[in-house]
């Protein structure tokens, strides 16, 4: 399916106009959000959505997040109860995805939600993403812009490196992503439940709701296929909670535990999150037998970091 060369678009009005034009024509355009780069396609165009799965080599049961410019646009697609409305009001635009019942007149291609009667919706904050979504004026389905099972891209070059030239029409270059972890995914129906930890800390959500969140591990059933253990995997094996590397390994440090690279020498979890995918990618390229990773505390963004690392460390072939 490789067509003409993939265009690298500058973060200018002209670049946004070109990206808008390509998306409206049903082409795939990768664009920056504050979490990770998304591989965007017009959500109302089932062929365009199909090309997303094709490009990613993604298992087709894995539904996509729909990106819109505003809450008003989100309400045309999904049904928001009081909790969902309160969360959208508190955290949009931002790194939160809400899974809500889909409106029948939404016009969103079935493939987007892989046949589910719910839809995952996000209003990103990154200015280029906002300008693009406003200009497109229709919902844009976008998974992370990486081949399925690989690390999410946090820079335009990661996207370019992931796909054969021409498989995607263009990449809008917004520089590195500020948060560097995917959005936190939450459903509120029938009750608030965390489907994927991510860039918005659970503590902030619990403070908004006024009570603790139920997690999927507490119910044992998988609602978001992204929860499958080996979804986010570098090519190299990952060994967790390491204090130092064996002879054939490379080491990803954190805080006082040194390594070939260190997620945050000061032990700052926000900095660690922003560095996570880029550093895993760099270490993955070194051809070691394994990437040994220092212990990361399980609080705030540390939860999402550990979630990603545990998936990377899980035996392959589960997703
Ligand atoms: O930060 C992000 O969320 C990035 C940027 C590009 O927005 N996107 C992203 O998309 O991480 P993706 O496709 O890599 O992950 C989307 C997750 C998947 O785990 C998928 O299963 C889940 O969202 N999902 C989508 N629709 C769903 C639904 N209706 N019910 C449950 N889970 C859903
Ligand atoms: Mg992904």
């Amino acid at each position: 399916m490789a067509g003409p060369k993939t265009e690298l678009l500058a973060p200018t009005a002209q670049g946004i106009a070109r990206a808008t034009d390509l998306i409206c024509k049903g082409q795939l355009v990768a664009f920056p959000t504050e979490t990770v780069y998304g591989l965007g396609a017009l959500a109302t165009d089932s062929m365009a959505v199909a090309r997303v799965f094709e490009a990613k080599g993604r298992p087709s049961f894995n539904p996509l997040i729909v990106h819109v410019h505003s809450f008003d646009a989100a309400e045309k697609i999904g049904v928001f109860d009081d909790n969902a409305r309160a969360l959208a009001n508190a955290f949009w635009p931002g790194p939160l995805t809400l899974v809500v019942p889909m409106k029948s007149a939404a016009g969103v291609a079935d493939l987007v939600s892989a046949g589910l009667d719910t839809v995952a919706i996000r209003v990103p904050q990154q200015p280029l993403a906002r300008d693009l979504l406003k200009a497109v004026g229709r919902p844009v389905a976008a998974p992370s812009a990486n081949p399925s099972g690989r690390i999410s891209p946090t820079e335009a070059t990661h996207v370019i490196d992931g796909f054969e030239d021409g498989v995607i029409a263009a990449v809008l270059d917004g520089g590195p992503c500020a948060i560097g972890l995917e959005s936190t995914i939450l459903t509120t129906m029938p009750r608030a439940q965390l489907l994927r930890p991510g860039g918005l800390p659970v503590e902030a959500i619990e403070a908004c709701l006024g009570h603790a969140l139920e997690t999927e591990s507490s119910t044992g059933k998988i609602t978001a296929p992204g929860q499958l253990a080996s979804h986010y995997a570098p090519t190299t094996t990952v060994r967790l909670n390491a204090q130092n590397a064996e002879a054939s390994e490379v080491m990803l440090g954190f805080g006082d535990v040194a390594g070939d690279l260190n997620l945050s020498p000061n032990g700052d979890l926000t900095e660690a999150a922003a560095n996570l995918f880029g550093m895993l990618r760099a270490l993955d390229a070194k051809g070691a037998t394994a990437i040994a990773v220092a212990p990361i505390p399980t609080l705030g963004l540390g939860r999402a970091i550990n979630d990603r690392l545990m998936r990377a460390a899980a035996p392959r072939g589960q997703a």
Side-chain angles (χ1 to χ4, degrees), residues 33 35-38 56 58 62-65 67 97 99 113 116 118-120 122 142-144 181-183 185 195-196 223-227 231-232:
T33 78
T35 57
V36 299
Y37 276 73
K56 281 183 66 90
R58 184 178 207 181
N62 211 355
L64 308 178
I65 296 173
H67 297 67
T97 294
V99 172
S113 274
L116 300 172
T118 55
V119 60
R122 201 183 148 209
S144 51
L181 282 176
E182 296 93 339
S183 61
I185 306 182
L195 301 182
R196 179 179 75 182
T223 316
Q227 292 285 98
H231 186 61
Y232 301 91

Side-chain angles (χ1 to χ4, degrees), residues 1-299:
M1 67 181 276
K5 283 184 178 306
T6 300
E7 297 173 32
L8 185 62
L9 303 174
T12 58
Q14 208 181 357
I16 291 165
R18 178 67 181 154
T20 303
D21 188 46
L22 288 167
I23 287 185
C24 289
K25 285 182 174 143
Q27 302 284 311
L28 304 187
V29 176
F31 63 97
T33 78
E34 69 276 27
T35 57
V36 299
Y37 276 73
L39 183 55
L42 208 54
T44 50
D45 178 341
S46 56
M47 284 299 287
V49 176
R51 281 194 282 273
V52 171
F53 288 99
E54 193 180 1
K56 281 183 66 90
R58 184 178 207 181
S60 57
F61 55 79
N62 211 355
L64 308 178
I65 296 173
V66 170
H67 297 67
V68 290
H69 172 259
S70 64
F71 181 72
D72 283 354
E75 261 202 312
K76 295 206 171 80
I77 300 167
V79 181
F80 288 74
D81 66 5
D82 289 348
N83 274 339
R85 197 172 293 272
L87 289 162
N89 192 38
F91 300 114
W92 279 355
L96 173 68
T97 294
L98 291 169
V99 172
V100 297
M102 181 144 41
K103 280 191 174 160
S104 45
V108 169
D110 288 337
L111 198 51
V112 168
S113 274
L116 300 172
D117 51 10
T118 55
V119 60
I121 309 180
R122 201 183 148 209
V123 179
Q125 177 154 48
Q126 213 275 3
L128 291 169
R130 289 179 65 69
D131 288 351
L132 177 65
L133 292 169
K134 192 167 191 182
V136 169
R138 279 171 282 174
V140 171
S144 51
N146 51 281
S148 190
R150 305 299 297 273
I151 299 166
S152 293
T154 55
E155 292 183 30
T157 53
H158 298 166
V159 182
I160 299 277
D161 290 350
F163 298 94
E164 221 179 286
D165 198 22
V167 167
I168 61 182
V171 182
L172 182 59
D173 188 353
C177 300
I179 293 176
L181 282 176
E182 296 93 339
S183 61
T184 300
I185 306 182
L186 203 70
T187 182
T188 59
M189 286 176 220
R191 63 203 171 281
Q193 195 184 348
L194 182 69
L195 301 182
R196 179 179 75 182
L200 180 67
V202 166
E203 289 87 341
I205 295 167
E206 291 178 334
C208 176
L209 291 173
H211 61 81
L213 271 181
E214 204 177 293
T215 62
E216 272 197 311
S217 40
S218 65
T219 63
K221 77 176 197 311
I222 292 172
T223 316
Q227 292 285 98
L228 291 173
S230 67
H231 186 61
Y232 301 91
T235 312
T236 314
T237 308
V238 171
R239 184 167 69 83
L240 301 180
N241 294 316
Q243 290 298 330
N244 37 51
E246 317 273 24
S248 56
E249 294 178 339
V250 286
M251 177 87 192
L252 182 58
F254 177 79
D256 291 335
V257 181
D260 298 275
L261 294 172
N262 193 317
L263 287 169
S264 170
N266 296 328
D268 177 342
L269 288 167
T270 308
E271 182 186 26
N275 282 332
L276 182 66
F277 289 125
M279 289 189 174
L280 277 178
R281 184 178 293 273
L283 293 177
D284 200 18
K286 289 187 185 288
T289 57
I291 302 171
V293 185
I296 316 287
T298 318
L299 30 110

